[in-house]
Amino acid sequence: MSSFVGVLVSDQELQSQFTQVELRTLKSKYVSERTQSGRVTVANLPAIFKKLKIFSELFTEDEIKDALAESYQDMDEEIDFESFLRAHLNLQARAIAKDGGSKSSSSFLKAATTTVHHAINESEKASYVAHINNSLAEDNFMGQFLPIDPQSDALFDLAKDGVLLCKLINIAVPGTIDERAINTKRVLNPWERNENHTLGLNSAKAIGCTVVNIGTQDLIEGRPHLVLGLISQVIKIQLLADLNLKKTPQLVELVEDDKDVEELISLAPEKVLLKWMNFHLKKAGYEKQVTNFSSDLKDGEAYAYLLNALAPEVAGPSALTTSDPTERASLVLEQAEKLDCKRYLTPKDIVEGSPNLNLAFVAQIFQHRNGLTTVDSQKMSFAEMMTDDAETSREERCFRLWINSLGIATYVNNVFEDVRNGWVLLEVLDKVSPGSVNWKLATKPPIKMPFRKVENCNQVIQIGKDLNFSLVNVAGNDIVQGNKKLLLAFLWQLMRFNMLQLLKNLRSHSQGKEITDADILNWANNKVKRSGRTSEMESFKDKNLSNGVFFLELLSVVEPRVVNWSLVTKGETDEDKKMNATYIISVARKLGCSIFLLPEDILEVNQKMILILTASIMYWSLKKPEENHPREAMAMTSVENENETDVVDDVSNLAIDDTASENPSTP
């Protein structure tokens, strides 16, 4: 079997500063620019670097240009890939310095993880350890390892078995992982450890974490900067869970009219948190506008005003009258503690403007005292009208998480709003069908002229037609107008196309024919039938699938050891069906399937999600190297967004018919 050859750099020291995932990402950016422009010059770099998540919130394009000007006199100078990497490293060093030693930006859901400098913010580590000690103290399994000493590396050692991440994900979004699927023993073998990490990473993606630069081996090794970065994302999702109109309808108080309600629905949670904070600060007479969780909070004044407005009974004037920022920060923390806000940061963290810890602190204040009481019935009724029905909401969630898992430059917070300028859809199309987008005809946000948005969306529709999507009587303006039914239909076809292309690529050196829905259905049925079992799937909308038995049998066939049949129910009652559905999703993720459906999609037999689930299992089964022992193969599996063609050579002997894939290795 041919081995994978990564991106190679002649300067070994330079190469050692990046993971292969990072090198492939940066190589892709470099090649893309060279393809579009014919060559890459220094002048091209600000726009490229600005789109990278790690720089997007720390620098403007002009600031990046000024930084490059210190190293390059001629902005028209052509640079090779190694010079491109060195320019990235130099800017990374500036980012770390600018962000107070923390590698994370103010929006650490979006921040990419990097190996450069391996800087660990000890205050953040101590904060996350305190959160873990508090949140998991009563957990039956984790309790034996707690409390963790924040001064040691015990956190990273504990993370090596993968249980900690799975537990944190379930606290952040309860029910994400069926805990019956987690391998919980004092001592795990390498196979079990890898399963836990695969389950954890796929589940992290399924709740909205960015894990593009993280693989299972990174977590097995307990690489501190990667472990800390992932934990910070999970904790953030937990802290911001209530910052939406569904959970906290009183948030409509923050806006003036119906149009603003629309905007509020589309805002990222951290933006809603800033809006909430400024709403109370304005009423309290604070004259400044807080625009970030770092520099704007360093003097502690905003906190003093906020607490005085929300909880005058515990705040008092002391924090407002003192002139020393450190003393004010200390008083603020004492006052917040009286509201039961856990002390996860120090006065020094506030004064130094730690963005992650400040965001967490503000979120805690919101949770304990949001100060929102009056609900305008007219605005509430409009907000309810704007809120999607359950199925639409689930589909939006699925497509949003899928898009964000692709590793495109733009992070999507709300599909229905964020795709309307066409740019995100062009990014996705370029990812799933490389070379399909003519970037010279595209306009990058922010887009002021409405016709430019229509142009972007017209190209989206044209590419869709070229890919044989069903788009009868559909125009670009329909996307601009935010037609939800059309958008869901388009995104479904896009996701389906991507899955079918992945399957086709796996066998591109054999028959090379297009994969159809019928091929996937037949593959699944043949797999189960040849194992001697009697379950069958008549179609992807077969109501008998709701009990989950067929998928558990299919998963058991492709990897016999992965299903614990003592945990499986007959699926006769609604409760039993839900238990099976939850277990199916966790087992599939444990194998390595990147899926975003919910148990309800199985219970209701959502045809689209059932197809994707089946195709994902098929993809994993066909991709599985059969010449190696599966334990060795799994140890090398990474749950990042790999360039799927990397595995083509390894599986070129596979064909769609089961005669080529019916020789499973024994575990």
Side-chain angles (χ1 to χ4, degrees):
M1 181 176 293
S2 61
S3 59
F4 167 73
V5 178
V7 177
L8 300 178
V9 179
S10 60
D11 185 337
Q12 291 301 305
E13 184 176 350
L14 177 63
Q15 178 161 337
S16 69
Q17 297 295 309
F18 301 89
T19 65
Q20 272 299 315
V21 177
E22 292 167 333
L23 284 172
R24 284 199 296 277
T25 299
L26 292 172
K27 183 77 171 183
S28 173
K29 303 289 184 188
Y30 178 84
V31 171
S32 177
E33 182 63 34
R34 189 177 62 190
T35 302
Q36 292 179 44
S37 306
R39 63 187 190 125
V40 180
T41 67
V42 179
N44 299 136
L45 300 189
I48 298 173
F49 288 160
K50 174 62 179 168
K51 288 197 293 186
L52 296 176
K53 295 167 189 172
I54 197 167
F55 300 139
S56 61
E57 294 194 3
L58 289 176
F59 301 109
T60 64
E61 282 194 31
D62 287 340
E63 287 174 330
I64 297 174
K65 182 178 179 181
D66 291 341
L68 292 168
E70 295 179 16
S71 302
Y72 297 93
Q73 294 181 346
D74 183 7
M75 297 299 286
D76 196 46
E77 179 182 339
E78 185 173 354
I79 63 171
D80 58 17
F81 181 57
E82 291 193 12
S83 299
F84 179 83
L85 293 178
R86 290 191 178 91
H88 182 279
L89 284 180
N90 289 336
L91 192 60
Q92 174 65 36
R94 288 175 180 267
I96 292 173
K98 184 173 183 178
D99 204 23
S102 167
K103 64 175 179 51
S104 302
S105 70
S106 61
S107 179
F108 56 94
L109 248 190
K110 303 178 187 179
T113 312
T114 179
T115 57
V116 181
H117 297 297
H118 305 286
I120 294 297
N121 186 307
E122 291 297 332
S123 290
E124 287 189 17
K125 185 181 83 169
S127 174
Y128 303 149
V129 165
H131 179 87
I132 291 168
N133 286 338
N134 180 65
S135 300
L136 292 173
E138 304 300 320
D139 185 88
N140 291 334
F141 180 76
M142 295 302 300
Q144 63 187 312
F145 304 106
L146 303 179
I148 303 169
D149 179 5
Q151 303 302 317
S152 71
D153 287 333
L155 170 64
F156 309 120
D157 291 333
L158 186 57
K160 290 179 180 179
D161 278 349
V163 180
L164 175 62
L165 177 61
C166 291
K167 294 283 188 177
L168 287 176
I169 288 171
N170 261 4
I171 290 175
V173 183
T176 299
I177 296 175
D178 187 329
E179 298 208 359
R180 297 175 298 172
I182 305 173
N183 298 317
T184 52
K185 294 190 303 187
R186 288 284 304 194
V187 180
L188 299 178
N189 62 42
W191 177 270
E192 293 166 329
R193 187 179 298 119
N194 192 82
E195 281 186 334
N196 280 348
H197 287 307
T198 305
L199 172 60
L201 283 175
N202 277 317
S203 299
K205 282 200 290 186
I207 65 171
C209 293
T210 300
V211 301
V212 176
N213 286 350
I214 309 175
T216 55
Q217 192 60 34
D218 296 317
L219 300 182
I220 289 170
E221 294 172 3
R223 296 179 69 177
H225 63 297
L226 295 175
V227 170
L228 210 59
L230 189 52
I231 288 175
S232 72
Q233 292 188 65
V234 175
I235 291 175
K236 178 188 175 183
I237 288 171
Q238 177 187 346
L239 292 174
L240 299 182
D242 293 338
L243 279 148
N244 59 75
L245 286 174
K246 288 183 180 178
K247 294 286 186 69
T248 313
Q250 295 89 346
L251 284 168
V252 294
E253 191 178 342
L254 305 183
V255 299
E256 298 292 334
D257 52 37
D258 291 351
K259 184 178 180 181
D260 292 333
V261 173
E262 278 190 75
E263 181 188 349
L264 185 65
I265 290 174
S266 67
L267 284 180
E270 59 265 42
K271 298 295 184 184
V272 176
L273 191 60
L274 282 175
K275 195 174 186 71
W276 168 80
M277 189 176 191
N278 283 312
F279 172 79
H280 285 299
L281 289 176
K282 184 178 180 180
K283 289 204 302 184
Y286 188 66
E287 297 179 356
K288 301 175 186 176
Q289 183 89 354
V290 177
T291 61
N292 58 64
F293 294 102
S294 182
S295 58
D296 288 357
L297 299 177
K298 283 184 176 181
D299 60 12
E301 286 186 5
Y303 281 134
Y305 273 90
L306 180 65
L307 288 173
N308 205 47
L310 294 173
E313 75 279 8
V314 302
S318 55
L320 291 170
T321 56
T322 183
S323 59
D324 179 58
T326 303
E327 183 182 350
R328 183 183 298 116
S330 181
L331 289 169
V332 161
L333 292 175
E334 289 176 10
Q335 294 166 0
E337 207 163 12
K338 293 176 183 177
L339 294 177
D340 289 331
C341 295
K342 302 296 180 183
R343 186 174 284 209
Y344 292 156
L345 77 169
T346 66
K348 182 182 177 185
D349 296 325
I350 293 177
V351 173
E352 291 184 351
S354 171
N356 293 353
L357 299 185
N358 274 311
L359 183 146
F361 183 46
V362 178
Q364 275 207 321
I365 296 173
F366 175 87
Q367 287 180 345
H368 291 284
R369 186 73 64 91
N370 66 37
L372 302 173
T373 54
T374 305
V375 176
D376 185 310
S377 58
Q378 183 177 347
K379 284 190 286 189
M380 271 302 302
S381 62
F382 183 78
E384 289 171 1
M385 183 179 70
M386 289 292 296
T387 303
D388 302 312
D389 61 71
E391 185 175 352
T392 299
S393 183
R394 286 208 307 268
E395 290 196 13
E396 186 278 335
R397 169 196 168 276
C398 174
F399 294 135
R400 168 168 40 87
L401 294 170
W402 171 66
I403 290 171
N404 287 331
S405 77
L406 296 174
I408 64 172
T410 306
Y411 189 89
V412 175
N413 291 296
N414 182 296
V415 166
F416 297 133
E417 293 300 320
D418 294 352
V419 305
R420 289 172 61 178
N421 61 24
W423 183 262
V424 169
L425 293 176
L426 289 173
E427 287 186 290
V428 175
L429 283 164
D430 193 51
K431 198 77 173 181
V432 304
S433 180
S436 63
V437 177
N438 185 343
W439 290 108
K440 293 180 180 179
L441 300 179
T443 302
K444 179 184 175 183
I447 305 173
K448 296 180 180 179
M449 304 299 290
F451 76 92
R452 294 294 186 192
K453 297 179 183 179
V454 176
E455 286 179 345
N456 281 354
C457 293
N458 282 341
Q459 185 177 180
V460 167
I461 296 299
Q462 185 55 54
I463 296 171
K465 290 178 178 177
D466 293 341
L467 298 176
N468 296 318
F469 291 3
S470 176
L471 296 168
V472 180
N473 297 324
V474 177
N477 196 51
D478 293 315
I479 296 176
V480 177
Q481 296 300 318
N483 184 318
K484 292 184 179 181
K485 184 178 180 181
L486 180 150
L487 284 171
L488 290 176
F490 183 87
L491 287 168
W492 158 242
Q493 293 182 82
L494 196 52
M495 178 186 257
R496 176 178 172 276
F497 171 82
N498 182 51
M499 194 72 247
L500 296 181
Q501 286 301 110
L502 295 182
L503 288 168
K504 179 184 176 183
N505 285 345
L506 286 180
R507 40 192 300 280
S508 61
H509 290 285
S510 53
Q511 300 175 21
K513 83 176 187 71
E514 297 292 333
I515 306 296
T516 66
D517 296 0
D519 289 326
I520 298 170
L521 183 71
N522 291 336
W523 174 86
N525 279 326
N526 286 337
K527 272 288 187 184
V528 173
K529 182 179 180 181
R530 294 186 183 189
S531 71
R533 300 180 184 272
T534 58
S535 295
E536 187 177 10
M537 174 167 53
E538 292 185 2
S539 69
F540 294 116
K541 52 185 178 181
D542 183 345
K543 292 301 180 183
N544 291 324
L545 296 174
S546 65
N547 65 21
V549 174
F550 177 83
F551 286 112
L552 288 166
E553 291 186 348
L554 177 61
L555 287 163
S556 181
V557 171
V558 299
E559 181 46 73
R561 68 178 304 281
V562 81
V563 175
N564 182 345
W565 284 100
S566 67
L567 302 176
V568 177
T569 73
K570 294 182 180 179
E572 294 175 346
T573 67
D574 289 345
E575 183 60 31
D576 285 350
K577 289 179 179 180
K578 186 164 186 178
M579 289 180 67
N580 282 354
T582 304
Y583 190 52
I584 288 166
I585 293 171
S586 290
V587 168
R589 287 177 179 153
K590 188 175 179 178
L591 273 185
C593 298
S594 182
I595 50 177
F596 304 100
L597 76 168
L598 292 170
E600 289 78 7
D601 293 313
I602 297 176
L603 296 175
E604 297 170 14
V605 193
N606 181 319
Q607 183 178 356
K608 300 173 186 176
M609 297 303 126
I610 293 294
L611 169 58
I612 292 297
L613 172 62
T614 312
S616 298
I617 298 171
M618 177 180 178
Y619 176 67
W620 183 87
S621 178
L622 293 181
K623 189 176 70 167
K624 184 172 61 173
E626 297 191 7
E627 292 180 22
N628 290 341
H629 195 287
R631 295 181 188 234
E632 297 172 0
M634 280 297 288
M636 298 173 1
T637 301
S638 175
V639 193
E640 68 242 354
N641 295 293
E642 301 278 349
N643 179 345
E644 303 297 345
T645 57
D646 291 342
V647 297
V648 170
D649 290 339
D650 287 350
V651 292
S652 59
N653 60 318
L654 294 177
I656 197 69
D657 61 296
D658 282 302
T659 59
S661 58
E662 199 54 41
N663 301 305
S665 304
T666 56

